[in-house]
């Protein structure tokens, strides 16, 4: 319930609008530019993972990893496929949204980045706390997928492969 409330609150109260994007190409470029910001938590995780491997007390660099190194490696390895799914769903979503709702693209990007950081923090605290961060990532992804399928098969079935 938190994700829709956050997106709605940001949509209503943040004072920005999406630029006029009349073509599909312009919308995809806009989505690509927004998605670049969503890579920040993943790149940060890679940097922290590298630093933690360098500072690890393990004598063999390719040996068994310590828990503090394993947390960062797992975070990065789980975040990359989620980002790919998120990006492709946002790209398809940008082609179906009307102009006045294109403000959702940067908001969903920000939600993804914040939720991955929350997941990382909660995963470092304890594995039992990570469900909140994961659900903040996965549930908007699921909602985008359902909306995209609805748009493709119900709203515009004649343009499914066009």
């Amino acid at each position: 319930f938190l994700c829709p409330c956050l997106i709605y609150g940001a949509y209503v109260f943040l004072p920005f609008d999406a630029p006029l994007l009349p073509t599909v190409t312009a919308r995809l470029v806009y989505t690509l530019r927004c998605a670049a910001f969503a890579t920040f938590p993943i790149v940060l995780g890679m940097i922290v993972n590298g630093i933690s491997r360098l500072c690890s007390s393990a004598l063999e660099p390719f040996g068994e990893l310590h828990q503090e190194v394993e947390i960062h490696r797992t975070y990065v390895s789980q975040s990359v496929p989620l980002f790919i799914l998120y990006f492709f769903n946002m790209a398809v979503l940008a082609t179906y949204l009307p102009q006045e709702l294109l403000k959702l693209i940067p908001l969903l990007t920000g939600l993804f980045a914040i939720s991955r950081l929350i997941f990382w923090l909660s995963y470092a605290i304890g594995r039992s706390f990570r469900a909140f961060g994961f659900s903040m990532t996965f549930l908007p992804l699921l909602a985008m997928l359902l909306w995209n399928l609805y748009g493709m098969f119900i709203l515009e079935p004649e343009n499914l492969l066009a």
Side-chain angles (χ1 to χ4, degrees):
F1 297 115
L2 184 63
C3 291
C5 293
L6 286 174
I7 292 294
Y8 178 76
Y11 184 83
V12 170
F13 295 114
L14 287 179
F16 75 93
D17 286 323
L20 183 61
L21 303 168
T23 65
V24 173
T25 307
R27 290 171 179 235
L28 291 176
V29 169
Y30 181 68
T31 304
L32 184 64
R33 289 178 180 169
C34 288
F37 291 103
T39 61
F40 172 74
I42 300 170
V43 172
L44 184 64
M46 289 177 176
I47 291 169
V48 171
N49 183 31
I51 291 171
S52 65
R53 278 184 176 259
L54 286 174
C55 297
S56 174
S57 60
L59 296 176
E60 295 181 31
F62 296 109
E64 190 171 323
L65 298 175
H66 293 274
Q67 182 182 2
E68 62 271 5
V69 178
E70 186 66 30
I71 288 171
H72 306 306
R73 186 195 64 78
T74 304
Y75 164 74
V76 170
S77 67
Q78 290 177 358
S79 293
V80 170
L82 279 172
F83 170 74
I84 292 169
L85 289 172
Y86 218 81
F87 172 71
F88 281 122
N89 275 290
M90 273 198 335
V92 173
L93 183 68
T95 63
Y96 286 109
L97 285 178
Q99 175 64 40
E100 60 272 3
L101 293 179
L102 280 178
K103 184 178 179 179
L104 288 175
I105 298 298
L107 295 177
L108 288 169
T109 301
L111 179 66
F112 177 80
I114 290 169
S115 62
R116 290 317 294 165
L117 290 172
I118 289 172
F119 172 79
W120 190 15
L121 179 67
S122 61
Y123 190 65
I125 291 172
R127 292 181 181 224
S128 60
F129 296 111
R130 66 184 175 182
F132 176 70
F134 181 77
S135 65
M136 280 186 65
T137 305
F138 183 72
L139 294 176
L141 173 66
L142 185 62
M144 283 191 295
L145 176 66
L146 292 175
W147 177 257
N148 288 337
L149 291 174
Y150 174 75
M152 285 190 286
F153 292 111
I154 305 298
L155 295 179
E156 298 180 14
E158 67 277 356
N159 293 333
L160 181 63
L161 300 174

